[in-house]
Amino acid sequence: MKIHNVRVHRSEENLARQDQLAWKLAEVAADPVEVDAEVTEMVINRVIDNAAVAAASLTRRPVVSARSQALAHPLPVRQLEELTGSADRPQDGATVFGEQEAVRVSPEWAAWANGVAVRELDYHDTFLAAEYSHPGDNIPPITAVAQHAARAFGFTGRELVRGIATGYEVQIDLAKAISLHAHKIDHVAHLGPSAAAGIGTLLGLPVETIFQAIGQALHTTTATRQSRKGEISSWKAHAPAFAGKMAVEAIDRAMRGETSPTPIYEGEDGVIAWLLDGPSASYDVPLPVAGEAKRAILDSYTKEHSAEYQAQAWIDLARKLHREHPEVADPSRVESILIHTSHHTHYVIGSGANDPQKYDPTASRETLDHSIPYIFTVALQDGGWHHVESYLPSRAARPDTVELWGKVTTTEDPEWTRRYHSIDPAEKAFGGRVEIRLADGRVITDEIAVADAHPLGARPFARADYVAKFRTLAQGVLEEAEIERFLALAQRLPELSAAELGGLTITAAPGVLASVPTPMGLF
């Protein structure tokens, strides 16, 4: 890896394109280096993981809404005739999760619909460093473009794997160096550039074209973090999908010769100067050198539980305490529960956020998903976590839960904050220590550093776990034959032909999609 120093430049300095961060990211994307076998296997795992969480969300309102929008944007018949020779054989276009493989829409809209489906339950992979990210959000837009352009470009699964590896590399490298949340900018500002870079790798585009697309993708996807604050709305799931959609459109425009604001990061009116640390800011961004394999995906980790990543370890600790100290589930026996944790956990999903909604039993699922007091309480009482039942209004409103929930608070512990930001993988931690004071005077303490499913956790996720997660979440949503078809195909990802790439979707069982109403809009 090479460290690239990035700072703001005045316009009269005329910073050369080759010295701009967007150009360096484009060079990483254009590097034809092969993908390591270990990385390829992890890409397969994450494709399965994305499909699993998408299956579980197919009938949720934001997903239904996004899917209905996508279905309103099929490729025009004229274009299909020009590309395939027959309007009856839509070989181009991209698939939409839940629909039949033959149903194809314009790729940017497939990226939108599938991105919302993947993100809705907040249940796929994560990487946390200077910034937070869900790098699996790169997969829907890159896959949509691969399906759409497979026949014209002669793509196989190998090219798709390469594109996904780039998307992960760029987003994770940016997240390691540049904090967005410190300035209340949403983390998807790293996703627009990474998805554009991944699509550039997939298509084999020149550095200049990828450079312009990265600039446009960043420019159109910077937004505030209010989507993850207070009363969290359905836009939390839409924001990454929007970034993916913008990345597809940015690539399309750049391929047509359109340009972007330059320098997008370093300009005196650019992102760093006005949205991040200001005119005197300086960042050190690590990027692979030419010929160096893109291995960043191996630094990321998925979720065993459907909750915000900082909650993963706390769910695991709560279920352990449930087994070892069942009395802690009874609010009449508990005086207080104090969670000592990192700055981020305390201020974003803990009581340090000062969001009353985090203690509101009528709060939305999205809000409860970002409330460690709620999540820890339910996991203590139930001894586990369920992606549907744990968020039900009836579950949140249970009187004994509300009583115990009100006794849970968080506090920042400098040591856990230090470990959270550590660059040493063996020391980096996302948990903390809990102190439970009982009414009889006893104090129960315990701690956890990383989630059980983390690579350094008690039970690291392996291929069998990803497959089991897919089977669990697809149960009752997909037919058994469809479950087996997808798993068999996905596990052959690098070998897939252009024609087989369209099979990287999931088709809902008869009646599943029809069981929920389709909202009406403009399209």
Side-chain angles (χ1 to χ4, degrees), residues 256-268:
R256 299 174 191 271
E258 300 308 315
T259 56
S260 67
T262 305
I264 186 65
Y265 286 101
E266 302 92 343
E268 63 181 354

Side-chain angles (χ1 to χ4, degrees), residues 410-426:
T410 64
T411 186
E412 181 184 0
D413 185 310
E415 176 59 14
W416 287 105
T417 295
R418 186 193 66 78
R419 291 189 64 182
Y420 183 96
H421 292 292
S422 174
I423 60 174
D424 180 358

Side-chain angles (χ1 to χ4, degrees), residues 30-51:
D31 185 1
V33 63
E34 289 297 326
V35 177
D36 288 356
E38 188 178 8
V39 171
T40 297
E41 289 302 300
M42 189 57 74
V43 169
I44 293 172
N45 288 342
R46 301 305 168 75
V47 168
I48 293 172
D49 202 45
N50 270 20

Side-chain angles (χ1 to χ4, degrees), residues 282-304:
S282 176
Y283 300 101
D284 290 325
V285 181
L287 294 175
V289 299
E292 182 180 0
K294 302 176 178 71
R295 295 176 54 83
I297 190 174
L298 302 177
D299 293 335
S300 60
Y301 17 81
T302 196
K303 297 180 178 181
E304 181 180 356

Side-chain angles (χ1 to χ4, degrees), residues 111-130:
W112 166 253
N114 296 340
V116 175
V118 166
R119 194 66 177 83
E120 164 66 8
L121 291 178
D122 202 352
Y123 201 178
H124 61 326
D125 64 15
T126 295
F127 177 78
L128 306 170

